[in-house]
C-alpha cells in the first residue's frame, strides 16, 4: 500500500506563548517546534500498516517554511521512506481551503492508496484539513480513527465516538483517514534510523495554483478572559498545603 | 442570501442536546442581524420527533430519506447541500459534535467556504471567537467571502434552557439521493469491555495530566489520592500512553464526572478535558503555567511545580486526618 501522511509542525506544548506585534498571531522567532501529536500517531499507523502488509511506501508531506524540514527528517528517521515539503512561507495567510488545496496538488501527483492526517492540529485546532482534503480529492474519508485494518479491496476502521463509544466503518480505497491519538504505541527513532534518514529523499515542491482569497480571516488573537473568579493560593509548598487543607475541611468538606 | 439555518442532530429518534445550544446561538445571531432563523434535522422518519425547546425557529425542515437512517458523510453532505441551495441561508450553524466534525468541513468545501469550527462566542460584526493552542489563546474570526458562512459551536458555550415542552410541526424535505454515491458502510455502535471503575459517582477525584512527566512519577499523585480517599483519574495523554487504563480518562471521549472535589494536577485544561469535569462543585488546579486554561475554571489555583506541591499536600492531609 502506498500511504501518504500529512504532518504539521506545531509549537512545543510547553513553549512560552507571546502574541505578535500585529496582534494576529504569535511571535514565532523564539519558539521551538515539534510534530503535531495526532500526526505522530498517523505516521505510526502508516509504518505499522506497511510492516503488516510487508510492502508499500510511506511518504510524509508537510506544507510550511524551511524549518519544517527538521520535523520531516524526524519522520524519515522513524521509518518513512520519502518526504515532501510544500513551500508555504506564510501559512497564516491561508485558510483551511488554501492549505488543503496545496496539499491536494502535491498528494495527487503521488496517487496514494491511503492518506492519513491527524484529527486536529494543536495550534489552530481546526480539525478540518483532512476532511477538506478528501473532498478536494473526491475520495471517501472517516474521522477520529483509532484502528485501521486492510480488507482486500478496502479498509475496516474503528471510529471513536463521544463518551467512550466506538463504531466500525468499512470503506473502499483510495481513502483518507484522520487519526486520533492513542491507537498505537509511538516508536522512537533509532540511531540507525537517524543515520539512514540523512540519505533519504526530502524534496521541496512549490504550489502551482495561486491561492484564492481566504473565505475566513483571523483578525485578532488575545488572552482569554477568566470565566470564574479563581482564588490563587500562594506561599511555600507547606503554606499552600495548609491552606488547601483548610479549604478541604471547611468548604469542600472532604476531610 | 439571507437567514440563519441551524443543522440539528438526532440519533435513533433522540435529540443530541447540543443541538439546542446551536439553536440558541442561531436564534441569537438571527435576532442580532434581523434575519429569520430556520432549522433542519437529518435522518429517516424524523418528522415526528417531539420538539424539546420553548424557543422556536420559523421552520424546521425534516430532511428525510431511508438512506439517511445511519449517518454517513456522503449521505449527509449531499442532502444538506441540496437544502442549502434551496434555502440560500447567509449562515449555517451546527453543534460541534463528532458527527459534525466528520461532514461539515466537506459540506462547506462544496460551497467554496471554510467552516469556522468550535466557536465559543459570537460578537457583533459578526465576529466568531474560537480557541487557539488548546485554549491558551482566543481568536476573532470573520467571514470574508460571499457564500454562506458555516459555523460550528462548542459544547456548553451557548445556553439552551432544557425543556420538554413546546411543539413544532416540521416541514418535510426530500433530497435526491442514490445509494451508489454513499461509499462508507457504517457498523453498529459499541463500547469496549465493561467498565470496572465508575468515576461518575465518585465524590472526590484527583486527576493527573501530562505534567507528571513519566509513568514512574505516578505514585506522587496516587499517594495524594489515597490520603484523600479519592478516585484517581487522568487526562487523555496519560491513558494514550497506557500509564493508566482508559476507563480512568475524563473528557469528551472519556467519562463525564461531577464530584464534590476535582483536583487537577499537571493538566492544561483543553476543552475536550473541561467538558468532562466542568460539573465539579469545587475545582482545585495545580499547574506550573499561570496562563494554563485550567485556571479559568478553577475555584482555587496553585501555580507551581507539582513535584513540590503534591508531596507537601499529601503530608498535610495525612496529618489532618490522623
Ligand atoms: C476529539 C478529541 C477528543 C479528546 N478527548 C479527550 C478526553 O476525553 N480527555 C482529555 O483529557 N483529553 C482529550 N483530548 C485531548 C485534549 O485536546 C488535550 O490534548 C489533553 O487534554 C491534554 O492533556 P494534558 O492537559 O494532560 O496535557 P498538556 O496539555 O500537555 O498539559 C500538561 C500541563 O502540565 C503542566 N505541567 C508540566 N510540568 C508540570 C509540573 N512539574 N508541575 C505542574 N504542572 C506542570 C503544563 O504547564 C501543562 O499545562 C481530546 C482531543 C480531541 C481532538
Ligand atoms: N501545513 C500542513 N502541512 C501538512 N499537514 C497539515 C498542515 N496543516 C494541517 N495538516 C494536517 O491536517 C490535520 C488537521 O489540521 P487542522 O485542520 O489544522 O486541525 C493535521 O493533523 C495534519 O495532519
Amino acid at each position: 500500500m502506498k500511504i501518504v501522511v500529512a504532518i504539521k509542525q506545531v509549537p512545543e506544548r510547553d513553549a512560552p506563548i507571546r502574541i505578535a506585534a500585529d496582534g494576529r498571531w504569535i511571535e514565532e522567532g523564539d519558539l521551538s517546534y515539534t510534530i503535531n501529536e495526532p500526526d505522530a500517531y498517523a505516521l505510526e499507523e502508516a509504518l505499522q500498516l506497511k510492516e503488516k502488509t510487508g510492502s508499500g511506501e510511506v511518504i510524509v508531506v508537510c506544507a510550511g517554511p524551511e524549518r519544517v524540514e527538521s520535523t520531516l527528517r524526524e519522520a524519515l528517521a522513524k521509518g518513512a521512506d520519502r518526504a515532501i515539503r510544500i513551500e508555504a512561507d506564510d501559512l497564516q495567510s491561508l485558510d483551511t481551503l488554501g492549505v488543503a488545496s496545496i496539499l491536494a496538488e502535491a498528494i495527487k501527483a503521488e496517487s496514494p492508496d491511503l492518506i492519513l492526517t491527524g484529527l486536529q492540529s494543536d495550534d489552530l485546532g481546526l480539525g478540518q484539513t483532512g476532511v477538506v482534503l478528501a473532498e478536494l480529492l473526491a475520495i471517501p474519508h472517516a474521522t477520529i480513527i483509532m484502528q485501521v485494518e486492510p480488507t482486500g479491496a478496502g479498509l475496516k476502521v474503528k471510529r471513536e465516538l463521544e463518551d467512550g463509544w466506538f463504531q466500525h466503518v468499512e470503506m473502499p480505497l483510495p481513502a483518507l483517514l484522520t487519526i486520533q491519538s492513542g491507537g498505537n504505541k509511538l516508536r522512537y527513532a533509532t540511531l540507525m534510523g537517524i543515520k539512514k534518514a540523512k540519505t533519504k529523499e526530502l524534496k521541496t515542491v512549490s504550489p502551482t495554483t495561486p491561492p484564492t482569497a481566504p473565505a475566513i480571516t483571523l483578525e485578532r488573537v488575545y488572552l482569554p478572559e477568566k470565566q470564574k473568579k479563581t482564588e490563587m493560593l500562594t506561599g511555600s509548598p507547606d503554606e499552600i498545603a495548609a491552606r488547601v487543607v483548610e479549604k478541604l475541611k471547611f468548604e469542600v468538606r472532604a476531610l | 442570501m439571507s437567514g440563519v439555518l441551524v443543522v440539528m442532530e438526532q440519533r435513533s429518534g433522540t435529540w443530541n442536546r447540543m443541538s439546542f445550544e446551536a439553536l440558541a446561538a442561531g436564534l441569537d445571531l438571527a435576532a442580532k442581524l434581523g434575519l429569520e432563523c430556520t432549522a433542519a434535522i437529518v435522518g429517516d422518519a424524523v418528522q415526528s420527533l417531539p420538539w424539546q425547546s420553548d424557543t422556536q425557529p420559523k421552520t424546521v425542515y425534516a430532511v428525510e430519506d431511508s438512506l439517511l437512517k445511519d449517518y454517513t458523510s456522503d449521505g449527509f453532505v449531499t442532502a444538506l447541500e441540496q437544502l442549502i441551495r434551496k434555502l440560500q441561508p447567509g449562515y449555517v450553524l451546527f453543534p460541534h459534535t463528532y458527527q459534525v466534525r466528520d461532514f461539515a468541513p466537506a459540506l462547506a468545501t462544496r460551497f467554496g467556504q471554510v467552516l469556522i469550527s468550535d466557536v465559543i462566542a459570537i460578537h457583533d460584526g459578526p465576529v466568531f471567537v474560537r480557541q487557539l493552542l488548546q485554549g491558551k489563546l482566543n481568536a476573532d474570526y470573520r467571514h470574508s467571502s460571499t457564500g454562506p458562512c458555516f459555523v460550528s459551536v462548542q459544547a456548553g458555550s451557548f445556553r439552551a434552557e432544557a425543556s420538554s415542552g413546546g411543539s413544532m410541526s416540521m416541514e418535510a424535505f426530500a433530497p435526491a439521493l442514490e445509494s451508489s454515491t454513499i461509499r462508507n458502510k457504517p457498523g453498529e455502535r459499541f463500547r469496549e469491555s465493561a467498565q470496572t471503575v465508575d468515576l461518575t459517582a465518585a465524590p472526590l477525584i484527583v486527576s493527573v495530566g501530562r505534567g507528571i512527566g513519566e509513568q514512574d512519577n505516578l505514585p506522587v499523585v496516587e499517594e495524594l489520592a489515597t490520603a484523600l480517599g479519592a478516585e484517581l483519574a487522568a487526562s487523555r495523554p496519560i491513558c494514550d500512553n497506557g500509564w493508566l487504563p482508559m476507563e480512568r480518562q475524563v473528557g469528551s471521549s472519556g467519562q463525564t464526572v461531577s464530584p464534590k472535589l476535582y483536583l487537577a494536577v499537571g493538566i492544561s485544561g483543553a476543552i475536550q478535558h473541561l467538558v468532562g469535569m466542568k460539573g465539579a462543585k469545587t475545582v482545585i488546579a495545580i499547574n506550573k503555567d499561570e496562563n494554563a486554561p485550567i485556571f479559568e475554571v478553577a475555584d482555587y489555583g496553585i501555580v507551581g511545580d507539582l513535584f513540590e506541591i503534591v508531596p507537601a499536600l499529601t503530608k498535610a492531609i495525612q496529618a489532618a486526618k490522623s
Side-chain angles (χ1 to χ4, degrees):
Chain A
M1 213 187 306
K2 185 170 176 181
I3 309 174
V4 166
V5 187
I7 59 182
K8 185 175 183 186
Q9 193 189 48
V10 296
E12 291 265 13
R13 281 167 175 276
D14 274 5
I17 300 299
R18 283 193 301 125
I19 294 169
D22 69 357
R24 286 170 166 248
W25 189 234
I26 51 173
E27 207 61 72
E28 293 206 328
D30 44 0
L31 285 180
S32 45
Y33 288 91
T34 183
I35 184 170
N36 184 44
E37 185 171 46
D39 305 2
Y41 283 94
L43 173 63
E44 182 61 41
E45 185 63 54
L47 295 173
Q48 291 198 16
L49 278 172
K50 182 185 160 185
E51 285 158 7
K52 246 184 269 174
T53 51
S55 68
E57 195 182 16
V58 174
I59 305 157
V60 283
V61 176
C62 180
E66 211 176 327
R67 62 166 155 79
V68 307
E69 291 189 359
S70 62
T71 296
L72 286 169
R73 277 277 172 233
E74 237 169 82
L76 292 173
K78 285 189 174 184
D81 298 293
R82 284 194 282 133
I84 302 171
R85 172 170 82 89
I86 305 164
E87 261 181 300
D89 284 339
D90 185 14
L91 276 179
Q92 258 30 75
S93 67
L94 301 174
D95 63 7
T96 310
L97 203 48
V99 173
S101 302
I102 59 176
L103 288 173
E105 186 186 312
I107 293 171
K108 209 173 199 166
E110 295 288 344
S111 342
D113 303 299
L114 180 63
I115 302 167
L116 303 182
T117 72
L119 84 162
Q120 187 163 311
S121 60
D122 273 353
D123 52 357
L124 290 176
L126 299 163
Q128 311 186 31
T129 308
V131 178
V132 175
L133 180 56
E135 177 67 24
L136 293 177
L137 294 171
I139 58 175
H141 73 267
T143 53
I144 323 194
I145 299 306
M146 300 292 297
Q147 267 171 27
V148 187
E149 228 180 281
T151 57
L155 296 175
K156 183 178 173 188
V157 300
K158 180 178 157 193
R159 258 190 94 199
E160 180 181 292
L161 305 172
E162 279 117 334
D163 302 323
W165 288 86
F166 299 94
Q167 176 187 42
H168 285 123
V169 176
E170 291 192 51
M171 58 206 300
L173 289 172
L176 182 144
L177 305 173
T178 80
I179 302 293
Q180 169 66 295
S181 60
N184 290 306
K185 214 170 149 29
L186 298 179
R187 72 189 64 193
Y188 291 100
T190 59
L191 267 179
M192 182 64 149
I194 294 168
K195 226 167 116 191
K196 261 192 173 158
K198 293 192 180 122
T199 64
K200 288 180 179 170
E201 179 184 295
L202 191 171
K203 77 171 176 197
T204 302
V205 299
S206 352
T208 56
T209 39
T212 47
I216 62 173
T217 44
L218 199 179
E219 291 204 322
R220 185 170 79 96
V221 301
Y222 48 98
L223 284 175
E225 268 170 46
K226 296 218 183 303
Q227 306 160 3
K228 212 170 174 180
K229 194 131 186 58
T230 306
E231 183 181 336
M232 295 311 246
L233 307 178
T234 53
S236 70
D238 285 333
E239 285 162 6
I240 291 171
R243 296 203 48 204
V244 173
V245 165
E246 233 170 74
K247 307 286 178 201
L248 292 177
K249 261 193 193 155
F250 301 111
E251 279 174 47
V252 186
R253 300 193 185 280
L255 291 177
Chain B
M1 291 275 166
S2 68
V4 176
L5 173 68
V6 180
V7 178
M8 303 175 74
E9 188 169 315
Q10 62 85 35
R11 185 170 44 76
S12 315
T14 307
W15 291 100
N16 182 321
R17 294 300 315 167
M18 276 170 70
S19 295
F20 291 98
E21 298 177 5
L23 180 65
L27 286 163
D28 197 42
L29 177 65
K32 261 191 206 156
L33 298 174
L35 299 174
E36 255 161 7
C37 181
T38 57
I41 180 86
V42 186
D44 180 27
V46 287
Q47 207 177 352
S48 55
L49 221 64
W51 189 244
Q52 286 185 353
S53 169
D54 294 330
T55 53
Q56 293 197 341
K58 179 164 166 274
T59 315
V60 181
Y61 293 92
V63 181
E64 293 185 314
D65 192 289
S66 58
L67 291 172
L68 298 171
K69 181 167 176 286
D70 295 315
Y71 164 78
T72 59
S73 173
D74 287 334
F76 274 49
V77 168
T78 310
L80 285 168
E81 182 187 356
Q82 292 171 22
L83 181 71
I84 292 167
R85 295 218 186 273
K86 176 185 146 162
L87 300 179
Q88 307 235 329
Y91 298 86
V92 185
L93 267 61
F94 306 84
H96 191 67
T97 61
Y98 280 32
Q99 186 168 299
V100 164
R101 283 167 166 274
D102 196 68
F103 76 85
L107 180 62
T109 305
R110 295 259 171 117
F111 292 85
Q113 300 298 315
V114 173
L115 173 73
I116 307 179
S117 56
D118 218 2
V119 162
I120 57 169
I122 303 176
H123 299 318
D124 289 348
V127 167
F128 301 95
V129 186
R130 53 186 308 281
Q131 298 176 308
L132 298 181
L133 295 151
Q134 307 239 333
K136 288 198 191 102
L137 292 180
N138 279 359
D140 287 350
Y141 280 78
R142 245 180 226 270
H143 183 233
S144 47
S145 166
T146 49
C149 171
F150 292 83
V151 176
S152 67
V153 301
Q154 187 169 93
S157 295
F158 296 85
R159 273 194 81 81
E161 301 303 335
S163 154
S164 52
S167 73
M168 185 81 218
S169 65
M170 298 190 200
E171 194 170 309
F173 177 83
L177 292 176
E178 271 176 58
S179 61
S180 60
T181 58
I182 296 178
R183 297 166 290 188
N184 289 3
K185 305 240 165 336
E188 290 299 314
R189 292 155 45 90
F190 64 93
R191 272 186 186 267
E192 303 286 58
S193 53
Q195 307 252 339
T196 55
V197 268
D198 183 12
L199 297 177
T200 59
L204 307 174
I205 292 179
V206 170
S207 194
V208 57
R210 204 196 312 251
I212 196 71
E214 44 189 295
Q215 187 170 20
D216 290 347
N217 295 334
L218 276 181
V220 176
V221 282
E222 280 164 353
E223 280 157 25
L224 173 62
T226 308
L228 252 177
E231 281 285 356
L232 189 64
S235 66
R236 181 166 188 128
I238 302 298
C239 304
D240 280 351
N241 288 335
W243 297 352
L244 284 174
M246 222 208 101
E247 56 192 13
R248 294 204 178 263
Q249 181 177 314
V250 167
S252 66
S253 48
Q255 302 208 36
T256 302
V257 300
S258 46
K260 218 160 55 163
L261 171 71
Y262 191 84
L263 209 168
V265 181
I267 292 178
S268 64
I271 179 62
Q272 294 87 5
H273 187 80
L274 298 188
V275 294
M277 46 68 72
K278 272 203 291 208
K281 194 147 176 296
T282 303
V283 176
I284 303 181
I286 304 174
N287 197 301
K288 68 171 186 194
D289 173 9
E290 61 173 333
N291 286 323
I294 189 78
F295 289 128
E296 281 160 50
V297 300
D299 298 278
Y300 300 105
I302 298 153
V303 177
D305 183 354
L306 74 92
F307 296 105
E308 290 171 13
I309 314 279
V310 173
L313 184 55
T314 306
K315 246 189 4 207
I317 289 169
Q318 282 164 341
K321 274 199 164 178
S322 64

